[in-house]
Amino acid sequence: MTYIGQPVKRVDGIEKVTGKAKYAAEFNVPGLTYGYVVSSGIVKGTITSIDTSEALALPGVLEVFTHENRPKTAWFDMNYKDQDAPPGSPFRPLHDATIKYSGQPIALVVAETFEMARYGASLIKVTYEQEPHETDLEAHLTEARDPEPGISHFLKPLPPKPRGNADEAMAAAPVSIKARHVHGAQHHNPMEMFGTTVEYGKEDKDGKPYLTIYDKTQGAPNSQMYVAQIFDLPFSHVRVISPYVGGGFGSGLRPQYQLFLAVMAAKALKRSVRVTLTRQQMFTFGHRPNTVQEVELGASTNGTITAIKHDAKAATSQFEDYTEVVVNWTGILYDVPDTTLTYKVKSLDIYSPLDMRAPGGVTGDHAIETAMDALAYELGMDPIELRLKNYSEKDWTEGDKPFSSKELRACFYQGAERFGWKERNPEPRSMKRGHNLVGWGMATGIWDASRMFARAEAVLTVNGKLRVSSATADIGTGTYTVMTQIAADTLGMPIDDVIFKLGDTDMPMAPIQGGSWTASTVGSAVKQVCEDLGKKLFKMAAKDAKSPFYDATWQEVMFADGELRLKKEPSVSIKLIDIVALNGGRAVSETSTSMPNPLELKKYSRHTHAAAFVEVEVDEDLGTVTVKRAVTAVAGGRILNPRTARSQIIGGMVWGISSALEEDSKMDHRFGRFMNHNLAEYHVAVAADIHDLDVIFVEEHDDIVNPLGAKGLGEIGIVGMPAAVANAVFHATGKRIYDLPITIDRVLY
């Protein structure tokens, strides 16, 4: 049986629904103590005194760590960067008395119980010398600058140099539109809050402990490297385990400060320590950044775009230059001879922003795709027709490279057919349902189809089971399931005889799970190691001159139903479990490395594409917007598992609706603090907000992106949705709302 391409149920589903799946703060270890973080009460300044005496006097409180008594660590003597760190100097918890942002951790209370640690934290008295702060991006746009030289998000380059003369072409264009978009900050808010459990083990002859760390992370190896280098420990002394992640969305790509604090306390006390953050503290270590964009489009009367100007200015911290690819997508989607794409940052007194599902993509796509809709109305053209008129056949931002594959046209056609787009009356405010205005909108989505380096191990056990492992993560995307399918298919084994393990640094190295690259990256490594194990098994089976495989070549054999067979004569076979028996009763194992050929990949531009279609109802009196139905057509290469793939796209669509209509981290700039730092006031889409969602997977073949032909789907589902919602709201109301989220006040006024 072939498993790839089949809607296999999640192999980890039973553990999750029965509560057997354990998360970082649920691992109980002997002698566990508990840490509670104290957060700063100001935005910027200096701690002049910190009185911990009352907390230390409590029975059961073991220590209060501050900048005054924190142990020395290697990190403070070097500029260590994690796998996802931007240019700059990473934040160092408890480094000194300086306050860099509101909510900064300034103390850690460790006690025998969580309740006592929390109570002790409430007794700490801190005085500050405050300094004026700046947290308002819009008030300082003229001070925005080029980011520090280097590589931006996920190894993508910063904007390409201007092409042609966009100013002259814009001035000469008979039709033009110009718009300004403001995107507020957003926070990830996964259900599982960040926590770290550190089990303190034996010490070596130099007094360096062995630590087993259960961490909430999207990359156990990243946390391992972070801890080993910061605390000057051998990598062999640091084991990080993270088998399940209760949502990440990018927040777990970088090690967060509870990991540092838990390890610091465990080393100092020589005890096991757990540190968990509160929901409010989840708003203190990164977010999707505030961004202001200006887009100008110039076109001829027949709809040919002749000029593009897309500028973005985003907030970053004072200590790191976090950047996103915001404007590049415009150039990739629309090949216009006169184009200027610019991106700048403004340092503010905030924590560094952090990658959040489709970072930069969902922001930039909203601006260009609402601009395209506005241009379509200005020209009197159908929005799909305008996009097809300006369809790019190559990527000029990367030197006129051809696309490895691009079935975006099919996304437009199939999505429009499923949605019923031809029934649309293009006139704004022309469609009604009872008391509500009805609007239809659409937008294009685009995201990278990347592949990274990864390793995997495959072991065929003496009882005929295949155990495959890699130190990747599963943040709910279906990694456990898809890797099991790939392994089962590659070695022709029943899927019930295959076990895939992940989330442990004792396993082969894999990158952080992000960027929609895990299926292509780790999947390629799993395929490679299973092929290599198969070759080893074939050699073992062909070693004896009496074997029917003795004179066969690798090309002449196949694996099916747990057997090695001759292709021309499948009845000639040997069970894999019998091959293992030839190994003296020992398991047969193989470890392999998979990485893309950089020279080959440089020849192509690799992306996933989508078209999103949305219907909204807008109450004329109340200004409420409801997304009644949506269709997303995706060109994502080979679909490894339609069930988990659909789940990924649906999840992205839900978040796109949430982003368009609800999500907004509100900062009071007088205090420089996010005020709605809880799930009661930070609004996200819930079941009552979501109605009919449909997904189409367009057939797309791509032999270039990776050996599986699969493209990542984790982010493409969200990218086009906010623009499609905004365009539908315009069609319903006749009012173009450029800023997000589209709240009641913006609809009414």
Side-chain angles (χ1 to χ4, degrees):
M1 178 180 178
T2 299
Y3 295 103
I4 293 179
Q6 299 301 314
V8 175
K9 294 180 180 179
R10 290 179 182 262
V11 298
D12 55 328
I14 292 177
E15 292 220 342
K16 287 185 174 179
V17 300
T18 58
K20 291 181 180 179
K22 282 193 173 184
Y23 297 83
E26 295 181 331
F27 287 90
N28 291 317
V29 299
L32 185 62
T33 63
Y34 300 83
Y36 194 91
V37 177
V38 180
S39 305
S40 69
I42 66 168
V43 186
K44 187 177 182 180
T46 305
I47 298 173
T48 56
S49 70
I50 182 164
D51 184 356
T52 63
S53 58
E54 287 188 49
L56 288 169
L58 292 174
V61 170
L62 302 174
E63 184 60 276
V64 179
F65 295 96
T66 71
H67 67 280
E68 297 177 339
N69 68 338
R70 59 140 177 97
K72 179 178 173 60
T73 64
W75 190 23
F76 293 107
D77 300 320
M78 61 185 291
N79 194 25
Y80 172 70
K81 294 181 180 296
D82 61 83
Q83 286 184 34
D84 198 42
S89 179
F91 173 70
R92 296 166 168 82
L94 309 188
H95 182 213
D96 54 29
T98 304
I99 300 298
K100 297 174 182 281
Y101 69 96
S102 178
Q104 173 180 320
I106 58 172
L108 178 73
V109 181
V110 183
E112 296 287 357
T113 66
F114 171 79
E115 291 77 10
M116 190 58 73
R118 181 175 60 184
Y119 178 54
S122 70
L123 300 179
I124 294 176
K125 297 179 175 61
V126 187
T127 58
Y128 306 93
E129 182 178 325
Q130 294 193 55
E131 299 176 21
H133 63 266
E134 297 177 354
T135 56
D136 189 350
L137 173 65
E138 292 188 74
H140 299 279
L141 289 176
T142 58
E143 301 165 21
R145 55 174 174 78
D146 292 331
E148 287 294 316
I151 299 297
S152 65
H153 169 74
F154 288 154
L155 308 183
K156 288 285 289 183
L158 291 171
K161 293 180 180 178
R163 189 187 196 200
N165 192 319
D167 288 330
E168 288 185 4
M170 196 72 68
V175 181
S176 64
I177 62 101
K178 183 177 181 178
R180 184 176 187 267
H181 303 259
V182 179
H183 294 77
Q186 296 178 345
H187 280 82
H188 307 72
N189 276 307
M191 287 296 290
E192 180 197 8
M193 293 178 284
F194 273 81
T196 300
T197 303
V198 180
E199 183 176 6
Y200 194 88
K202 65 180 181 179
E203 299 176 359
D204 65 13
K205 59 183 178 58
D206 298 318
K208 293 186 176 182
Y210 287 83
L211 303 177
T212 300
I213 302 171
Y214 303 93
D215 188 38
K216 169 159 183 170
T217 175
Q218 290 175 235
N222 197 23
S223 293
Q224 181 193 42
M225 289 189 293
Y226 177 90
V227 170
Q229 296 196 50
I230 289 171
F231 294 96
D232 191 26
L233 293 171
F235 275 59
S236 60
H237 282 42
V238 181
R239 182 185 182 189
V240 178
I241 300 173
S242 181
Y244 294 99
V245 182
F249 316 122
S251 62
L253 291 172
R254 301 190 69 179
Q256 301 303 348
Y257 60 75
Q258 93 288 336
L259 172 61
F260 171 86
L261 294 173
V263 175
M264 176 199 71
K267 280 196 68 190
L269 298 174
K270 298 188 176 184
R271 293 279 302 272
S272 297
V273 177
R274 173 180 295 157
V275 177
T276 53
L277 301 184
T278 65
R279 179 59 64 181
Q280 287 73 25
Q281 288 167 341
M282 295 283 283
F283 284 73
T284 64
F285 58 74
H287 53 277
R288 195 189 299 279
N290 305 66
T291 307
V292 177
Q293 300 178 78
E294 292 190 358
V295 178
E296 290 185 65
L297 299 179
S300 61
T301 54
N302 70 358
T304 301
I305 299 175
T306 57
I308 295 178
K309 295 175 68 177
H310 187 173
D311 173 75
K313 296 180 175 65
T316 190
S317 69
Q318 298 286 6
F319 46 90
E320 289 178 317
D321 267 11
Y322 173 84
T323 60
E324 293 182 331
V325 176
V326 176
V327 299
N328 297 38
W329 311 104
T330 295
I332 300 169
L333 284 173
Y334 304 109
D335 183 6
V336 176
D338 295 284
T339 299
T340 297
L341 308 174
T342 52
Y343 175 87
K344 296 181 182 297
V345 296
K346 167 56 184 170
S347 297
L348 298 171
D349 297 310
I350 58 175
Y351 191 85
S352 298
L354 182 62
D355 297 328
M356 186 170 173
R357 198 172 192 172
V362 68
T363 307
D365 191 88
H366 169 250
I368 185 60
E369 288 300 290
T370 52
M372 287 292 290
D373 196 69
L375 181 61
Y377 275 96
E378 190 71 20
L379 290 164
M381 289 182 68
D382 184 280
I384 298 177
E385 181 187 356
L386 177 64
R387 286 166 173 82
L388 290 172
K389 178 82 174 178
N390 296 279
Y391 192 89
S392 62
E393 300 290 355
K394 62 183 187 304
D395 180 1
W396 72 264
T397 70
E398 293 192 21
D400 286 340
K401 292 179 184 178
F403 295 101
S404 62
S405 61
K406 184 180 179 183
E407 294 293 342
L408 179 57
R409 281 193 182 92
C411 293
F412 289 144
Y413 296 143
Q414 293 183 32
E417 178 68 23
R418 181 76 62 87
F419 187 80
W421 187 257
K422 64 182 180 181
E423 305 299 326
R424 167 181 171 270
N425 183 335
E427 187 67 25
R429 302 182 67 87
S430 63
M431 299 169 63
K432 294 193 72 172
R433 185 176 295 126
H435 183 66
N436 296 322
L437 296 168
V438 175
W440 289 5
M442 61 82 55
T444 307
I446 183 173
W447 189 252
D448 291 323
S450 300
R451 178 187 170 198
M452 309 293 281
F453 158 94
R455 289 171 60 80
E457 180 187 46
V459 180
L460 190 61
T461 66
V462 293
N463 60 352
K465 303 294 184 181
L466 177 62
R467 187 174 66 246
V468 185
S469 61
S470 181
T472 184
D474 189 337
I475 55 176
T477 53
T479 305
Y480 275 110
T481 307
V482 171
M483 299 306 151
T484 303
Q485 291 175 259
I486 295 170
D489 259 18
T490 307
L491 271 178
M493 295 186 64
I495 199 166
D496 291 340
D497 289 341
V498 179
I499 301 170
F500 181 73
K501 297 290 186 181
L502 55 72
D504 189 334
T505 54
D506 278 358
M507 299 171 184
M509 174 71 179
I512 49 181
Q513 184 175 64
S516 296
W517 63 45
T518 299
S520 60
T521 298
V522 181
S524 295
V526 169
K527 178 179 172 63
Q528 181 69 55
V529 75
C530 289
E531 287 177 349
D532 291 345
L533 179 61
K535 291 176 181 178
K536 179 179 283 189
L537 293 168
F538 167 61
K539 288 180 181 179
M540 293 171 62
K543 190 174 182 180
D544 192 330
K546 296 179 181 180
S547 168
F549 300 96
Y550 183 73
D551 293 324
T553 65
W554 171 247
Q555 290 72 27
E556 294 173 332
V557 300
M558 61 183 287
F559 292 91
D561 300 325
E563 296 179 343
L564 173 67
R565 298 173 178 172
L566 288 176
K567 289 180 180 178
K568 291 183 178 180
E569 197 173 349
S571 61
V572 177
S573 64
I574 181 173
K575 293 184 181 297
L576 299 187
I577 193 171
D578 293 335
I579 300 178
V580 178
L582 300 174
N583 198 40
R586 300 185 305 274
V588 182
S589 64
E590 188 65 79
T591 301
S592 301
T593 300
S594 174
M595 62 186 301
N597 182 337
L599 296 178
E600 185 66 22
L601 292 181
K602 280 185 177 180
K603 299 177 183 177
Y604 300 94
S605 180
R606 295 156 289 126
H607 295 91
T608 306
H609 296 89
F613 296 81
V614 166
E615 176 183 289
V616 301
E617 286 185 359
V618 182
D619 187 298
E620 279 195 272
D621 295 331
L622 301 178
T624 54
V625 179
T626 303
V627 175
K628 299 301 292 184
R629 63 189 182 98
V631 174
T632 295
V634 180
R638 186 184 188 188
I639 303 303
L640 301 176
N641 183 324
R643 184 191 299 264
T644 57
R646 183 180 185 276
S647 176
Q648 282 296 285
I649 302 302
I650 290 290
M653 293 171 71
V654 170
W655 200 343
I657 294 168
S658 186
S659 177
L661 300 179
E662 301 181 43
E663 294 196 42
D664 192 11
S665 298
K666 303 295 289 187
M667 178 176 281
D668 187 327
H669 295 296
R670 295 172 300 171
F671 307 108
R673 174 165 293 196
F674 293 109
M675 305 306 289
N676 57 334
H677 51 186
N678 56 68
L679 291 181
E681 295 173 329
Y682 181 92
H683 295 165
V684 297
V686 296
D689 300 316
I690 304 303
H691 299 276
D692 183 16
L693 303 182
D694 196 7
V695 179
I696 302 169
F697 289 113
V698 169
E699 186 173 350
E700 183 176 61
H701 300 282
D702 195 323
D703 297 324
I704 295 166
V705 286
N706 55 69
L708 295 162
K711 297 179 178 180
L713 301 174
E715 275 136 322
I716 189 62
I718 188 177
V719 178
M721 285 297 292
V725 172
N727 294 338
V729 170
F730 172 77
H731 181 230
T733 65
K735 182 176 182 180
R736 184 71 68 180
I737 301 173
Y738 292 106
D739 301 344
L740 293 183
I742 301 172
T743 47
I744 292 173
D745 56 318
R746 286 172 173 162
V747 175
L748 292 177
Y749 306 108

